[in-house]
């Protein structure tokens, strides 16, 4: 066996591999940035690791993956609630975002990284302005991230005219190529804020560099009506006709879909990001996730930004995702805990094109691992692991987080940043935003 840097032992290893392997009294050995081996504790009894983490009979599992967020919106959490999407966006969020700059976006993203690390997320996909600042924040926090500068028809507070947006995106791709933590995506906002030419060009750029293309689409019935008025078709049919649908596309929300839309998403192997809490808070509706999955579409879970949620805790999102489809269909079997857990781990990794590296615990994959303490009243007894993780455990139960082989949090102490300082900095930004 290779030299072992970290051995996590005495845990129930929930691998989320294709065989859904669970190892009781198991251990995970990490060498450098990768998982070297997984097995029962006895297998590692002679192993001398540089660092040993005792899971104390808790759960060792892959870190959670948030497939859609706007990390720096932590700066605006609670600024504007209980409003319609378009009022919320046009009257509150866009004016507040006009006051942002590189430093503010970086500070907000650092706060988001703290919240995500503390609640078991090891990888997130982000869409925002000044996105290089988000990449730098994720890198400083030690998190894996897929980042992309938001592109739309009107001038951006970050890059100015759209022409510069494409330059910005291409520079971002070049800057972060081969980075072990950061992947850059091309991210046009939505079919209603992006002209067909912009969308075609974005899709072309994503294909040229073989990087993900991420967009909000079919978020509300209002959007569907707007697109129908403009182009005489649904948003998905519109994207299909201009060549935007492909296996590189991650379509966020997908609430208002027709049966034909679902067929098209499946036939192009488009991935979907499911954001149930945001869809509930903005009263957008309920995405037809069971139908999408029946059609064979890969669905990853996401929180969306914390102004429409208002947290970025994937444990809460899993709980909601498991329940919302039950009440919607009056069928408690329609979305089980294991399916939701896949949506937050291996299927989320697939949705971002990262499943060869992360999303499950398997030898050779990057070591993105969390340890959950289970010796607690609300997790006692434990009949069913998957059920506990989705319905009973919370972000606060995550004790340890390892990302890319680095211990980022141990015993709930985040090692990569001064959280008190980050909170003070965000409070200062809030003062400027509200003045
Ligand atoms: Zn969003």
């Amino acid at each position: 066996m290779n030299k072992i840097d970290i051995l996590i032992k005495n845990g129930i290893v929930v691998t989320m591999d294709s065989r859904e392997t669970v190892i009781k009294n198991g251990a995970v050995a990490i060498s450098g940035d990768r998982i070297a081996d997984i097995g029962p504790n006895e297998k590692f009894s002679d192993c001398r690791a540089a660092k040993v983490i005792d899971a104390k009979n808790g759960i060792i599992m892959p870190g959670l993956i948030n497939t859609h967020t706007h990390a720096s919106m932590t700066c605006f959490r609670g600024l504007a609630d209980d409003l319609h999407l378009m009022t919320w966006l046009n009257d509150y969020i866009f004016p507040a975002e006009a006051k942002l700059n590189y430093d503010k976006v970086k500070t907000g993203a650092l706060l988001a990284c703290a919240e995500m690390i503390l609640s078991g997320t090891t990888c997130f996909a982000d869409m925002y302005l000044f996105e290089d600042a988000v990449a730098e924040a994720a890198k400083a926090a030690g998190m894996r991230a897929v980042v992309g500068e938001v592109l739309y028809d009107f001038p951006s507070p970050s890059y100015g005219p759209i022409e510069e947006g494409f330059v910005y995106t291409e520079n971002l791709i070049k800057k972060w190529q081969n980075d072990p933590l950061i992947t850059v995506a091309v991210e046009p906002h939505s079919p209603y804020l992006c002209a067909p030419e912009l969308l075609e060009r974005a899709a072309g750029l994503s294909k040229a560099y073989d990087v993900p293309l991420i967009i909000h689409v079919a978020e509300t019935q209002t959007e569907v009506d707007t697109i129908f008025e403009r182009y005489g078709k649904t948003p998905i049919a519109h994207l299909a006709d201009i060549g935007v649908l492909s296996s590189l596309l991650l379509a966020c929300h997908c609430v208002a879909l027709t049966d034909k839309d679902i067929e098209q998403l499946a036939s192009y192997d488009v991935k979907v990001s499911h954001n149930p809490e945001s869809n509930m808070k903005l009263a957008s509706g309920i995405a037809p996730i069971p139908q999408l999955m029946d059609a064979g579409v890969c669905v990853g879970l996401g929180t969306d930004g914390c102004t429409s949620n208002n947290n970025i805790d994937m444990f809460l999102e899993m709980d909601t995702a498991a329940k919302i489809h039950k009440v919607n269909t009056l069928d408690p079997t329609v979305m089980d805990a294991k399916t939701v857990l896949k949506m937050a781990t291996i299927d989320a990794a697939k949705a971002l094109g990262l499943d060869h590296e992360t999303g499950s615990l398997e030898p050779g994959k990057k070591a993105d691992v969390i340890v959950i303490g289970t010796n607690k009243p609300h997790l006692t007894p434990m009949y069913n692991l998957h059920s506990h993780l989705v319905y009973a455990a919370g972000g606060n139960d995550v004790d340890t987080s390892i990302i890319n082989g680095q211990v980022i949090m141990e015993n709930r102490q985040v090692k990569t940043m001064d959280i008190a300082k980050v909170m003070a900095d965000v409070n200062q930004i809030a003062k400027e935003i509200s003045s």
Side-chain angles (χ1 to χ4, degrees), residues 68 70 216 253 304:
H68 180 59
H70 312 279
H216 298 113
H253 299 301
D304 209 356

Side-chain angles (χ1 to χ4, degrees), residues 229-282:
E229 269 169 38
R230 277 190 216 165
Y231 309 111
K233 49 191 97 161
T234 68
I236 300 296
H238 170 56
L239 294 182
D241 288 353
I242 58 174
V244 173
L245 300 190
S246 81
S247 60
L248 288 172
L249 181 66
L250 176 64
C252 304
H253 299 301
C254 288
V255 170
L257 297 180
T258 63
D259 290 347
K260 180 83 191 351
D261 291 337
I262 293 173
E263 260 174 51
Q264 281 200 305
L265 290 170
S267 69
Y268 284 95
D269 191 24
V270 173
K271 319 298 190 290
V272 166
S273 174
H274 180 33
N275 313 133
E277 292 199 1
S278 172
N279 299 151
M280 287 165 72
K281 184 158 182 273
L282 292 167

